[in-house]
Amino acid sequence: MQSFPGRPTTPVAPEVVIVGGGSIGCSIAYQLALDGVRSLILERDYLAAGASGVAAGMLAPQVEAPFDDPFFDLTLAGRKSHGPLAAALYEDVGLDVECRATGILRVALDEADRVELQRRQRWQTARGLRADWLESEQLGECEPLLNGVAGRLLAGGLWLPDEGQVRSPRLVQALAAASVKRGAMVVEGSWAVGFERRGDRISGVRTPQGIVSAETVVLAAGVWSTDLAQTIGLDLPVGPVKGQILTLRAIQQTPRTVIWSGECYLVPRVDGQVILGATEEDGNYDRRPTLAGIGSLSEAALEFLPAVGQFTIEGIWAGLRPAAPDRYPIVGRAPGFENLILATAHYRNGILLGPLTGRWISQLIRSGVVAPEFAPFGPERFISSGH
Ligand code: GLY
């Protein structure tokens, strides 16, 4: 291996090179470190510079799921994984990733919303999950901002008390710090530009500073994974679904819980910051926020919660969610390659599913075993081995 400027380095060559320092890459490095495998993260920018740094960090399988399927099972398991992870990271590196079960209140804007949300409540409670229907006049008991007229103008809401949130950029930092503590290496500002290939093996990752070799390579570069895969003839169908958010602050009226209207969500953080998110812009690679994006979010929030109009704006952000055509993750060994693993396309669930993805990938690398719950989300659904 070449030596790199960056932090921190060790003289020991990594067993695994991970391309991408977001939620997925850092979760994989962390789990590998726990399992005693040395890895190196190559990040072209800085940790959490992409979608992970913009993510609102909701742990929200129930509010996101239109129906019950194997992916819903995965996301529930993902939600469960965060509490113990947050505790372990705090113990390990002293960073509080603010993992909390604040609940999510999904409000119904109209009768059609009400019917759909009550349908979801039925199948979720039949599965033994907590999902309570609140009539308009009860919304204020759950979320004081919806007391009075604001709540009464809505058509009720679905209260999901077990949904939660985590502070995404800090989670990525904590995962990286805990990995480094156990011998992982992180190199920021070094982007992978291609792979060195020998037959069906990847022998190294090409960077402007030189070639990094490793026994296994993991491609976890979010939406940028596609370009890298292309350099070895892999057609990875992952594209961007841009999301814009605003970070707001309210002196007196910070929401108590996450409020979600279908058009937008408000996520209150521990320090009083409130995230208003997020747009869904399919196929847009431009990472800059736009007036139209921010305008549509503001309009959607003000429509059902006029009090938001008094919140002050602290920042505007945009990120590119990596998405496959079916909107499910692509996680597993790249067909036709012995030692290349793909871990991308987590779309709206990169924070939620990071820890589980880390566990699965570590298991795959160490034992070659594909976890059954992860089998439906393999790359072979898009890529044949004879590519
Ligand atoms: N998970 C929420 C979002 O992607 O906007």
Side-chain angles (χ1 to χ4, degrees):
M1 197 191 89
Q2 315 278 314
S3 67
F4 289 91
R7 52 146 211 187
T9 56
T10 82
V12 190
E15 292 162 77
V16 179
V17 171
I18 301 163
V19 181
S23 157
I24 302 301
C26 291
S27 295
I28 294 169
Y30 175 66
Q31 189 62 47
L32 285 170
L34 291 181
D35 294 332
V37 179
R38 286 186 317 277
S39 72
L40 179 148
I41 297 174
L42 277 179
E43 165 52 48
R44 66 184 214 155
D45 224 323
Y46 51 89
L47 293 175
S52 306
V54 178
M58 281 177 293
L59 306 175
Q62 286 181 258
V63 83
E64 291 266 8
F67 41 74
D68 197 357
D69 66 356
F71 186 66
F72 182 59
D73 290 329
L74 269 191
T75 57
L76 281 181
R79 185 175 73 187
K80 215 168 154 187
S81 67
H82 274 271
L85 173 65
L89 290 172
Y90 188 69
E91 176 83 7
D92 215 10
V93 290
L95 280 172
D96 179 4
V97 301
E98 297 177 9
C99 182
R100 302 181 296 150
T102 42
I104 295 184
L105 178 60
R106 170 70 158 89
V107 295
L109 295 179
D110 53 27
E111 198 49 36
D113 254 3
R114 178 184 173 94
V115 169
E116 170 57 17
L117 293 179
Q118 289 185 336
R119 182 189 68 78
R120 292 186 188 197
Q121 184 208 12
R122 280 193 297 277
W123 71 256
Q124 294 191 3
T125 47
R127 273 203 56 155
L129 296 164
R130 292 203 294 168
D132 305 320
W133 186 255
L134 302 179
E135 293 301 345
S136 323
E137 59 281 5
Q138 297 173 292
L139 293 172
E141 291 162 28
C142 179
E143 172 49 65
L145 277 177
L146 294 173
N147 261 324
V149 164
R152 285 201 306 276
L153 287 176
L154 294 166
L158 186 58
W159 170 232
L160 304 165
D162 296 321
E163 302 274 69
Q165 57 169 290
V166 67
R167 195 154 189 148
S168 313
R170 196 172 302 159
L171 173 64
V172 175
Q173 292 291 346
L175 287 164
S179 308
V180 167
K181 198 174 156 186
R182 290 181 167 74
M185 293 171 276
V186 175
V187 185
E188 296 174 297
S190 179
W191 57 98
V193 292
F195 296 117
E196 293 288 299
R197 178 179 180 171
R198 277 204 204 110
D200 60 4
R201 286 188 70 79
I202 303 296
S203 54
V205 180
R206 253 182 283 131
T207 76
Q209 294 97 335
I211 292 168
V212 190
S213 45
E215 285 158 35
T216 304
V217 174
V218 179
L219 184 50
V223 79
W224 311 112
S225 305
T226 307
D227 296 345
L228 276 169
Q230 201 75 63
T231 65
I232 44 167
L234 272 183
D235 197 6
L236 190 59
V238 177
V241 179
K242 177 174 173 177
Q244 305 191 41
I245 64 162
L246 290 117
T247 44
L248 307 172
R249 193 167 292 272
I251 303 298
Q252 289 167 344
Q253 288 193 293
T254 302
R256 181 195 289 171
T257 182
V258 176
I259 316 172
W260 189 316
S261 77
E263 304 288 320
C264 68
Y265 47 72
L266 286 154
V267 183
R269 282 179 162 167
V270 171
D271 65 359
Q273 199 176 59
V274 180
I275 294 178
L276 169 59
T279 61
E280 279 255 326
E281 299 163 58
D282 209 348
N284 190 342
Y285 277 97
D286 191 327
R287 296 169 70 191
R288 293 169 297 180
T290 60
L291 191 58
I294 297 310
S296 69
L297 285 174
S298 310
E299 207 176 300
L302 291 167
E303 188 194 333
F304 80 98
L305 200 58
V308 176
Q310 300 314 313
F311 291 15
T312 53
I313 298 174
E314 293 202 331
I316 51 178
W317 309 82
L320 306 181
R321 305 176 185 91
D326 60 6
R327 302 301 193 238
Y328 292 129
I330 299 179
V331 179
R333 200 177 292 287
F337 289 90
E338 227 178 78
N339 65 338
L340 176 64
I341 289 173
L342 308 176
T344 183
H346 287 72
Y347 181 41
R348 297 178 65 93
N349 299 291
I351 302 298
L352 180 67
L353 292 179
L356 282 190
T357 305
R359 272 186 229 158
W360 298 331
I361 299 288
S362 176
Q363 183 187 6
L364 181 63
I365 291 173
R366 287 177 297 108
S367 64
V369 173
V370 177
E373 64 273 29
F374 167 28
F377 309 106
E380 48 291 320
R381 70 188 198 279
F382 297 113
I383 307 167
S384 67
S385 52
H387 55 84

